[in-house]
């Protein structure tokens, strides 16, 4: 889940939670209502900017943790002339975890559903070629199961609704490998997410949603054809999602992304197939992020 | 007596199916309401949420909580093989049973009885491919399930700590307690210390790591204390770590001291029925009264007779009702039995100090008479067997303001018996006691002007003094 704070130069007077606005007791570390870290509030107050949020969403095991960790790492390494400064040491945990595991040729552990187990990051991001604009990027690495539970039964996880309500944009990950293999699951789950987002964001049914949504076809290394034309891939393999986007969303686009260059496979004691990332070859990680930033100015 | 509980079931775990993957309710009974499923989803542990098992045992946990519908949920969590995504870690499997709160009393207000029955029926065994729709279950709860066989207090959870926790729980505070092991066993012991009717409003998690979204009234767990404390900052939740810091002050609560007496002896079998009565009032004030009743009842054998009579007298005037009235009645009966037994063996020298207070209790309404009369009767007979003069003197004092019901209940017959004993004694009494007897009889005359036994005693006295009564 990603949150961007646009440079609006408004001083946030409230000490309420950045995500759900609940006013917590002084000294509270985790919001009593939504579980978001209160350090975000202190850091955002220090920046004197009112946040606008971009949310990264997707099904369980679609690759959100790896995508977010890699994105943050690339930003902090000044990829594509971006400059990113973490606001608080806790912000580095996610990329640290992801890069460490990938370096050890393992995928990072599964993200727990418990809100207080999610890792959050707060970065100040700027682009050297885009003037003086500075974005405050806040993101939790959210469990896909929590999102699925919230979509299936709204208000199961209040933090998700609050995040989406405050989002100025969204990055939605869809498992391209599964979709290419003919599974309807990625298409249906993405359709549900977009419907949920539509319900959260819609003001009038006949007006399209203005929130920009970047649909990231994750695990593109499994199906290189999606890199050639993500839109065509989506039209073919994620047709329900494509139609929903066309019908209800004013600004959307499709991107292909992958993090690993080659995979090896083994099995565990329970005969589960265990994939091992043999080497890291990030591709298409920054483009969706850049596109969302570009849409925020419109 | 075995009872059958009609339950809905739900299985929460992480598997891959054609319609999704990851942690969710993978199978449930049709009768589960959406808001119930929502709560179960929020409260069920997911990846890496179980505390490590003691001494290398596989981790497991349990939870109990009321659902928004008013029904109750009992959950058992364990590991069920490797997580299917191959990203490391074990799959956490949680089996949930949902039943109406009205059936809770038939389980002895004890969710662990449901857990034992669930385990005996094999329901807690992980089923990774259950049908999506589960049937309603008729769970038989046996006597063995109802007994607190699994209760045990963690060794590290010493008296001041557990007493402090119980008192806090009774005052509706929320607690997280760091214990090295025995979370489920200790939780049952703790729960038994909570009055039965309160337990249906109570929620707990045992062996589950703390989460802000799974905030039970009481959580017993082993986790990184610093991390857990951090999550609790700013929340009205107390963190208790018996292994770290100064022990709390001893509790002054009557209820807590009653429970602790059982806990310290690991006497859960006798504690459970005493705390599981259908108390109609569970306010802190009522619990103090009930705790005092239990404490007084348990201390009867060590309490001085005079104190026991005062105690009985105080309960004779208190407007107790419901369970409290039953407990007070039991206290009175136990006190009555104890005093009666003491009076059976006692001499007048011992009885004398308590006689007046006993007489006062005897005259205090019908309940007082019912309490004191058997004691008085036993005492009088015991004294009469040793010294009929003293017994007659003591009995005479009771004839003043005698309750009407006492006469109807055969107290007059007892007085006749005492006087007959005196008459029999006179025949062999030394002559120098006759004058005393004569004076006593005169005073008895004021109470019983036309009494044949007194006539006979007078006659014997005069004969003893060498005077012909007919003259």
């Amino acid at each position: 889940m990603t949150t961007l704070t646009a440079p609006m130069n408004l001083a946030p007077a409230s000490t309420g939670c950045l995500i759900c606005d609940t006013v917590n007791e002084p000294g509270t570390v985790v919001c009593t209502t939504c579980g978001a870290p209160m350090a975000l509030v202190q850091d955002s107050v220090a920046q004197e900017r009112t946040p606008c949020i971009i949310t990264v969403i997707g099904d369980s095991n679609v690759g959100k943790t790896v995508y977010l960790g890699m994105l943050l790492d690339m930003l902090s390494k000044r990829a594509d002339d971006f400059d990113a400064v973490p606001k608080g040491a806790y912000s580095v945990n996610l990329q640290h975890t992801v890069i460490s595991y990938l370096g050890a040729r393992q995928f990072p552990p599964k993200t727990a559903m418990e809100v207080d187990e999610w890792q959050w990051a707060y970065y100040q991001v700027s682009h050297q070629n885009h003037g003086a604009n500075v974005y405050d990027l806040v993101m939790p690495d959210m469990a896909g199961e929590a999102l699925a539970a919230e979509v299936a039964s709204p208000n199961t996880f209040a933090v998700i609704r609050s995040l989406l309500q405050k989002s100025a944009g969204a990055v939605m990950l869809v498992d391209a490998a599964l979709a290419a293999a003919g599974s309807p699951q990625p298409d249906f789950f993405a359709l549900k997410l977009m419907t949920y987002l539509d319900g959260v964001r819609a003001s009038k049914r006949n007006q399209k949603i203005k929130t920009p949504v970047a649909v990231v076809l994750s695990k593109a290394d499994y199906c290189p054809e999606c890199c050639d034309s993500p839109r065509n891939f989506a039209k073919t393999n994620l047709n329900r999602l494509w139609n929903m986007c066309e019908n209800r969303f004013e600004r959307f686009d499709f991107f292909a992304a992958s993090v690993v260059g080659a995979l090896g496979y083994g099995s565990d004691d329970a005969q589960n197939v265990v994939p091992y990332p043999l080497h890291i070859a990030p591709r298409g990680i920054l483009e969706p992020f850049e596109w969302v930033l570009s849409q925020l100015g419109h | 007596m075995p009872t059958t509980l009609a339950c809905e079931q739900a299985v929460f775990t992480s598997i891959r199916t054609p319609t999704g993957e990851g942690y969710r309710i993978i199978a449930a009974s049709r009768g589960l309401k959406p808001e119930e499923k929502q709560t179960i989803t929020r409260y069920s542990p997911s990846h890496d949420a179980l505390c490590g098992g003691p001494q290398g045992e596989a981790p497991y946990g349990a939870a109990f909580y009321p659902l928004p519908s008013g029904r109750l949920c009992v959950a058992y969590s364990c590991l069920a093989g490797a997580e299917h995504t191959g990203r490391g870690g074990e799959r956490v499997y949680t089996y949930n049973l949902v039943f109406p709160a009205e059936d809770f009393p038939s389980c002895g207000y004890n969710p662990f009885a449901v857990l034992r029955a669930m385990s005996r029926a094999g329901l807690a065994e992980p089923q990774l491919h259950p049908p999506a729709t589960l049937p309603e279950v008729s769970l038989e709860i046996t006597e063995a399930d109802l007994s607190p066989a699994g209760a045990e207090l963690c060794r590290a959870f010493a008296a001041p700590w557990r007493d402090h926790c119980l008192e806090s729980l009774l005052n509706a505070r929320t607690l997280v307690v760091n214990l090295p092991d025995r979370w489920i066993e200790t939780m049952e012991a703790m729960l038994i210390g909570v009055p039965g009717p309160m337990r249906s409003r109570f929620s707990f998690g045992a062996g589950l790591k703390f989460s802000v979204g799974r905030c039970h009234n009481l959580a017993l767990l082993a986790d990184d204390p610093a991390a857990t404390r951090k999550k609790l900052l700013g929340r009205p939740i107390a963190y208790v770590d018996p292994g770290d810091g100064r022990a709390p002050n001893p509790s002054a609560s009557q209820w807590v001291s009653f429970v602790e007496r059982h806990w310290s002896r690991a006497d859960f079998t006798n504690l459970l029925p005493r705390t599981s009565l259908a108390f109609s009032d569970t306010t802190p004030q009522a619990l103090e009264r009930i705790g005092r009743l239990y404490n007084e009842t348990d201390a009867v054998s060590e309490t001085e007779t005079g104190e026991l009579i005062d105690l009985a007298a105080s309960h004779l005037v208190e407007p107790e009702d419901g369970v409290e009235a039953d407990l007070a009645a039991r206290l009175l009966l136990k006190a009555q039995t104890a005093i009666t037994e003491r009076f059976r063996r006692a001499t007048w020298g011992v009885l004398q100090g308590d006689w007046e207070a006993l007489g006062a209790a005897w005259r205090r309404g019908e309940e007082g008479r019912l309490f004191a009369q058997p004691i008085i009767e036993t005492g009088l007979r015991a004294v009469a067997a040793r010294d009929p003069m003293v017994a007659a003197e003591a009995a005479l004092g009771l004839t003043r303001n005698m309750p009407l019901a006492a006469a109807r209940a055969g107290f007059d017959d007892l007085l006749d018996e005492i006087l007959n004993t005196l008459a029999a004694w006179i025949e062999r009494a030394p002559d120098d006691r006759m004058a005393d007897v004569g004076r006593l009889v005169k005073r008895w005359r004021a109470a019983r002007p036309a009494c044949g036994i007194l006539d006979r005693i007078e006659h014997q006295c005069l004969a003893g003094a060498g005077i012909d009564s007919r003259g």
Side-chain angles (χ1 to χ4, degrees):
Chain A
M1 178 136 334
T2 310
T3 303
L4 288 179
T5 307
M8 296 180 188
N9 295 323
L10 295 172
S14 166
T15 53
C17 170
L18 187 67
I19 308 304
C20 70
D21 297 327
T22 299
V23 177
N24 290 271
E25 292 286 320
T28 305
V29 173
V30 182
C31 173
T32 51
T33 303
C34 73
M38 291 304 289
L40 298 176
V41 179
Q42 292 141 19
D43 292 335
S44 74
V45 166
Q47 300 309 311
E48 297 188 344
R49 281 186 285 263
T50 300
C52 63
I53 295 169
I54 296 173
T55 316
V56 178
I57 50 181
D59 201 356
S60 172
N61 207 30
V62 76
K64 294 182 295 299
T65 302
V66 171
Y67 175 79
L68 285 172
M70 188 54 66
L71 173 65
L72 287 174
D73 196 52
M74 291 175 73
L75 291 174
S76 63
K77 283 162 53 175
R78 293 187 172 171
D80 199 20
D81 292 333
F82 274 104
D83 211 354
V85 178
K87 312 304 287 182
Y90 65 91
S91 299
V92 187
N93 289 343
L94 177 62
Q95 75 183 87
H96 187 185
T97 303
V98 170
I99 299 303
S100 301
Y101 271 88
L102 291 178
R105 294 194 173 85
Q106 288 176 33
F107 284 106
K110 188 173 176 59
T111 306
M113 271 179 95
E114 287 81 353
V115 178
D116 44 358
E117 295 298 322
W118 300 350
Q119 297 196 69
W120 294 67
Y122 189 132
Y123 274 75
Q124 198 172 66
V125 180
S126 58
H127 197 284
Q128 290 173 8
N129 295 341
H130 294 171
N133 279 1
V134 180
Y135 298 90
D136 290 326
L137 173 68
V138 179
M139 62 180 73
D141 177 30
M142 189 176 65
E145 291 100 325
L147 194 53
E150 173 62 21
V151 167
S153 181
N155 290 319
T156 304
F157 291 93
V159 61
I160 293 169
R161 194 170 190 85
S162 301
L163 274 162
L164 288 173
Q165 274 170 341
K166 290 199 167 183
S167 293
V171 176
M172 183 171 68
L173 269 68
V174 181
D175 192 323
L178 265 183
S183 167
Q185 169 63 12
D187 195 15
F188 277 119
F189 191 82
L191 181 62
K192 284 181 189 176
L193 278 179
M194 294 302 266
T195 307
Y196 181 82
L197 191 57
D198 184 19
V200 169
R201 302 291 307 189
S203 52
K204 292 177 183 170
R205 290 306 300 175
N206 56 356
Q207 280 184 355
K208 286 189 175 183
I209 308 297
K210 291 186 165 48
T211 310
V213 179
V215 180
V216 176
L217 306 172
S218 67
K219 305 180 187 177
D221 49 308
Y222 278 93
C223 46
E225 69 271 23
C226 78
C227 300
D228 300 335
S229 174
R231 283 181 158 250
N232 283 341
F233 180 89
K235 272 184 198 170
T236 309
N237 297 285
L238 302 163
N239 188 249
R240 301 171 185 90
L241 170 64
W242 174 269
N243 293 339
M244 176 69 186
C245 289
E246 272 203 329
N247 287 337
R248 293 295 306 142
F249 288 81
E250 200 171 278
R251 289 181 282 169
F252 64 94
D253 208 345
F254 288 79
F255 303 86
S258 68
V259 169
V260 295
L263 281 169
Y265 293 94
S267 64
D268 59 17
D269 293 343
Q271 300 306 310
N272 291 313
V273 174
V274 181
Y276 294 97
L278 297 181
H279 81 267
I280 308 307
R283 185 175 177 189
I285 303 295
L286 284 172
E287 286 81 350
F289 176 74
E290 269 187 297
W291 179 82
V292 170
L293 289 191
S294 70
Q295 295 298 311
L296 286 181
H298 292 176
Chain B
M1 184 184 292
T3 181
T4 302
L5 203 58
C7 309
E8 314 271 6
Q9 354 170 34
V11 173
F12 181 92
T13 192
S14 170
I15 59 166
R16 182 180 285 138
T17 65
T19 56
E21 67 173 296
Y23 283 96
R24 63 202 189 280
I25 293 176
I26 60 163
S29 302
R30 277 189 202 285
L32 276 182
K33 299 179 178 72
E35 66 270 24
E36 291 177 326
K37 288 184 182 174
Q38 221 178 31
T39 306
I40 289 170
T41 300
R42 263 200 304 265
Y43 276 38
S44 296
S46 79
H47 191 68
D48 196 29
L50 294 183
C51 301
Q55 287 138 22
E57 286 174 34
Y60 55 87
F64 171 70
Y65 46 91
L67 294 166
S69 61
R71 293 203 285 183
L72 304 174
C73 180
V74 173
Y76 179 80
S77 302
C78 60
L79 297 181
E83 221 281 320
H84 71 271
T85 55
R87 289 164 69 183
E90 301 276 317
R91 172 190 287 116
V92 179
Y93 178 95
T94 301
Y95 179 79
N96 302 274
L97 269 185
V98 175
F99 59 93
E102 303 85 69
D103 293 343
F104 198 39
S106 67
C107 309
Y109 296 105
N110 187 2
F112 291 91
V114 180
L115 268 179
R116 279 187 280 274
M118 183 197 288
S119 174
R120 193 170 37 75
L123 295 172
E125 286 296 314
Q127 304 258 338
L128 294 180
H129 302 289
T133 304
L134 297 171
E136 194 180 83
V137 175
S138 291
L139 190 68
E140 192 190 34
I141 296 180
T142 64
E143 285 292 329
D145 297 328
L146 290 169
S147 85
E152 180 188 340
L153 281 160
C154 170
R155 199 179 287 269
F157 204 23
W161 296 101
R162 64 200 185 212
D163 293 352
H164 166 71
C165 289
L166 178 61
E167 191 168 6
S168 299
L169 287 176
L170 297 177
N171 287 308
R173 295 199 191 103
T174 304
L175 297 172
V176 174
V177 184
N178 187 28
L179 295 176
D181 53 19
R182 298 266 176 258
W183 307 290
I184 291 185
E185 295 84 349
T186 305
M187 185 60 82
E188 182 166 15
M190 284 296 289
L191 194 72
I192 290 171
V194 176
M198 279 182 88
R199 294 180 210 151
S200 60
R201 305 189 296 272
F202 182 81
S203 76
F204 69 74
L208 310 176
K209 289 182 183 172
F210 177 78
S211 163
V212 293
R214 192 171 49 232
C215 195
H216 296 293
N217 296 114
L218 176 62
L220 301 184
L221 49 80
D223 204 355
D224 174 14
T228 309
R229 277 182 205 272
K230 197 172 149 190
K231 288 178 190 173
L232 299 181
L233 280 176
R235 289 171 185 270
I237 304 172
Y239 184 76
V240 178
D241 190 350
D244 181 28
R246 196 165 58 89
N249 293 327
S251 170
S253 157
Q254 291 278 345
W255 176 272
V256 172
S257 75
F258 144 63
V259 172
E260 176 55 39
R261 202 169 45 255
H262 290 270
W263 276 351
S264 61
R265 299 193 303 259
D267 178 19
F268 306 111
T269 309
N270 287 312
L271 178 60
L272 180 63
R274 299 182 93 181
T275 57
S276 302
L277 299 173
F279 303 109
S280 54
D281 185 358
T282 52
T283 56
Q285 296 80 6
L287 292 185
E288 283 303 285
R289 290 196 304 270
I290 295 164
R292 185 163 64 91
L293 278 168
Y294 276 132
N295 290 334
E296 289 166 349
T297 303
D298 292 352
V300 159
S301 59
E302 295 92 44
T303 308
E304 296 285 334
T305 303
E307 276 181 56
L308 277 184
I309 294 170
D310 291 347
L311 193 64
S314 72
H315 284 294
L316 290 172
V317 295
E318 276 184 18
E320 288 144 337
D321 60 2
V323 172
E324 279 186 66
D326 293 344
L327 295 178
R330 279 182 221 177
L331 167 62
L332 290 174
L333 184 64
K334 195 170 176 190
Q336 185 190 55
T337 308
I339 301 172
T340 304
E341 201 50 43
R342 289 175 198 176
F343 275 26
R344 197 186 305 284
R345 298 187 304 268
T347 62
W348 177 246
V350 174
L351 300 189
Q352 199 173 9
D354 302 319
W355 197 253
E356 200 172 316
L358 192 62
W362 181 59
R363 292 182 181 95
R364 189 174 288 161
E366 180 59 5
E367 285 192 22
R369 187 193 69 75
L370 287 171
F371 169 75
Q373 190 153 323
I375 305 173
I376 288 172
E377 288 175 0
T378 305
L380 279 178
R381 286 192 177 107
V383 174
R386 292 189 181 90
D387 191 339
M389 271 284 287
V390 172
E393 188 78 52
L396 179 61
L398 294 169
T399 58
R400 284 188 294 274
N401 301 324
M402 183 166 68
L404 279 175
R408 282 198 296 272
F411 198 70
D412 274 336
D413 296 341
L414 175 70
L415 294 180
D416 288 350
E417 187 184 321
I418 299 298
L419 290 176
N420 277 324
T421 310
L422 179 64
W425 173 75
I426 286 171
E427 288 178 5
R428 56 180 191 285
D431 290 346
D432 61 350
R433 300 290 307 271
M434 291 306 142
D436 292 341
V437 174
R439 280 191 288 276
L440 178 62
V441 168
K442 266 189 186 170
R443 284 191 285 130
W444 264 100
R445 275 291 180 206
R448 296 184 128 197
C451 173
I453 307 169
L454 288 177
D455 291 345
R456 188 153 53 89
I457 295 172
E458 269 183 338
H459 176 75
Q460 287 171 296
C461 285
L462 291 172
I467 301 167
D468 185 351
S469 64
R470 286 169 295 184

